[in-house]
Amino acid sequence: MDSEVRSGCLHLRGDITVRSLNGKNYRRFQEQCRQPETRSIDWSGVATVDSASLSLLLAARRIRGAGSLKHLALPAAARELAALYDIEDWIAE
């Protein structure tokens, strides 16, 4: 997983899985979410997701509060996992 903030948007790229999301990537994501200029998260560059993607959704919500970060192009698999865990209403679009 790779992430970069550009023009107020946190762009995610690569796979977000339990194998690819390590501590370093997770901490970087948290730091990027804390930046005041970050207003949205763009998932369009993400190829594969599993339950690890929920950890990012929950971290963003915990760091910035409900609905404060918009999620753009969230993969269908992440939406399905959110529905499975009954947290789909936590995802702002």
Side-chain angles (χ1 to χ4, degrees):
M1 181 191 114
D2 187 33
S3 58
E4 173 186 19
V5 177
R6 291 187 317 247
S7 302
C9 184
L10 173 50
H11 296 269
L12 303 176
R13 287 182 301 282
D15 295 338
I16 301 176
T17 66
V18 293
R19 290 179 183 238
S20 65
L21 183 61
N22 58 38
K24 180 180 175 183
N25 292 339
Y26 185 71
R27 286 187 298 278
R28 179 180 166 97
F29 175 84
Q30 290 178 310
E31 291 168 9
Q32 291 166 322
C33 284
R34 286 186 183 98
Q35 294 177 11
E37 65 270 14
T38 301
R39 295 180 303 280
S40 60
I41 301 173
D42 182 358
W43 296 73
S44 64
V46 175
T48 306
V49 298
D50 66 12
S51 59
S53 64
L54 295 182
S55 68
L56 298 185
L57 290 168
L58 296 173
R61 180 181 169 92
R62 184 179 60 252
I63 290 166
R64 295 290 294 269
S68 62
L69 290 174
K70 293 187 178 201
H71 294 275
L72 310 172
L74 188 65
R79 289 182 185 286
E80 291 167 6
L81 284 168
L84 178 67
Y85 288 99
D86 198 28
I87 60 169
E88 69 269 24
D89 59 331
W90 293 6
I91 304 168
E93 294 189 63

